[in-house]
């Protein structure tokens, strides 16, 4: 029920054409895009184009957004990891403190097992999607 269109040419007409083809495909399969849910995330320094979606004879201009969350990962138009880190790190810290508070036997082996099974997967999920380029991201 999700559609991602990516256009690497930087040509707005080509992206609009891809959107029209997707609409045609959806119509052939008796599917419909939910226009209010459709968003436009633009990468790059050039001015983002206005994209329209036609539905039932009505045209809707896609709303622009600076970030999108998909499959639990936040992607921003500048492709920086700060918003993803700001979302994941507090969750990992919370899990760490909850684990420390709930453990009655706090041996290194027990803590390591809890850390490896609860906290580390939270930190490592989609770690390939970001690489810290800024010192402030490393210090988080």
């Amino acid at each position: 029920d999700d559609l991602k269109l990516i256009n690497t040419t930087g040509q707005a007409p080509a992206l609009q054409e891809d959107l029209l083809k997707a609409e045609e495909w959806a119509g052939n399969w008796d599917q419909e895009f939910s226009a209010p849910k459709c968003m436009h995330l633009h990468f790059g320094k050039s001015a983002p184009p206005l994209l329209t979606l036609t539905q039932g004879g009505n045209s809707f201009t896609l709303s622009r957004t600076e970030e999108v969350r998909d499959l639990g990962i936040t992607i921003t138009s500048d492709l920086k990891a700060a918003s993803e880190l700001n979302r994941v790190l507090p969750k990992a810290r919370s899990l760490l403190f909850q684990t420390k508070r709930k453990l009655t036997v706090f041996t290194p082996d027990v803590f390591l097992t809890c850390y490896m099974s609860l906290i580390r997967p939270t930190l490592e999920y989609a770690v390939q999607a970001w690489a810290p380029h800024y010192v402030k991201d490393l210090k988080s």
Side-chain angles (χ1 to χ4, degrees), residues 35-100:
K37 287 183 174 181
C38 293
M39 291 179 277
H40 177 213
L41 177 65
H42 177 75
F43 300 102
K45 294 181 181 181
S46 63
L50 289 175
L51 299 176
T52 58
L53 179 68
T54 306
Q55 203 171 49
N58 298 326
S59 288
F60 300 96
T61 301
L62 297 185
S63 62
R64 294 183 189 144
T65 183
E66 292 296 316
E67 69 178 32
V68 173
R69 187 158 181 226
D70 189 33
L71 299 175
I73 301 169
T74 304
I75 300 171
T76 60
S77 61
D78 59 4
L79 294 175
K80 292 182 180 174
S83 62
E84 180 67 12
L85 290 173
N86 291 338
R87 188 185 63 79
V88 172
L89 290 177
K91 184 177 179 181
R93 282 190 192 109
S94 174
L95 283 171
L96 177 66
F97 292 126
Q98 288 175 23
T99 303
K100 285 177 74 174

